[in-house]
């Protein structure tokens, strides 16, 4: 299992247009996960303008795979 499998299980879909993982939260809200390099992620929640709007929930390196799964589980 890798980070993509965790995101798929959590209901995220990959957007080729935005090059990130997106999960709809309803009423025009969403959560997005973007990986810049191995272990470096930005996770945002907010409006559907994925590249500019939103509140950053996490921005940095994730120490291990279990930490990543716990962060995604909370979304």
């Amino acid at each position: 299992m890798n980070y993509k499998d965790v995101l798929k299980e959590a209901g995220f879909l990959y957007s080729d247009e935005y090059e990130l993982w997106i999960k709809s939260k309803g009423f025009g809200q969403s959560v997005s996960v973007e990986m810049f390099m191995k272990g470096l992620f930005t996770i945002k929640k907010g409006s559907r303008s994925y590249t500019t709007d939103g509140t950053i929930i996490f921005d940095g390196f994730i120490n291990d795979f279990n930490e990543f799964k716990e962060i995604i589980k909370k979304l």
Side-chain angles (χ1 to χ4, degrees):
M1 178 177 265
N2 60 30
Y3 83 94
K4 293 177 185 178
D5 295 329
V6 172
L7 292 171
K8 287 177 189 176
E9 284 182 7
F12 285 82
L13 299 173
Y14 187 75
S15 169
D16 288 325
E17 179 181 355
Y18 297 106
E19 297 181 342
L20 47 77
W21 292 85
I22 301 168
K23 179 179 181 179
S24 174
K25 300 297 274 181
F27 298 104
Q29 298 296 303
S30 67
V31 175
S32 64
V33 176
E34 184 173 13
M35 184 174 82
F36 292 101
M37 64 174 86
K38 186 173 181 160
L40 179 60
F41 289 87
T42 299
I43 301 173
K44 289 196 271 185
K45 70 177 182 178
S47 73
R48 292 200 181 261
S49 183
Y50 309 113
T51 56
T52 57
D53 295 341
T55 302
I56 295 175
I57 299 170
F58 182 88
D59 186 13
F61 284 97
I62 294 180
N63 295 319
D64 58 38
F65 191 57
N66 287 329
E67 181 183 4
F68 179 78
K69 290 191 288 188
E70 288 300 315
I71 290 170
I72 296 302
K73 192 184 300 184
K74 292 177 185 176
L75 301 177

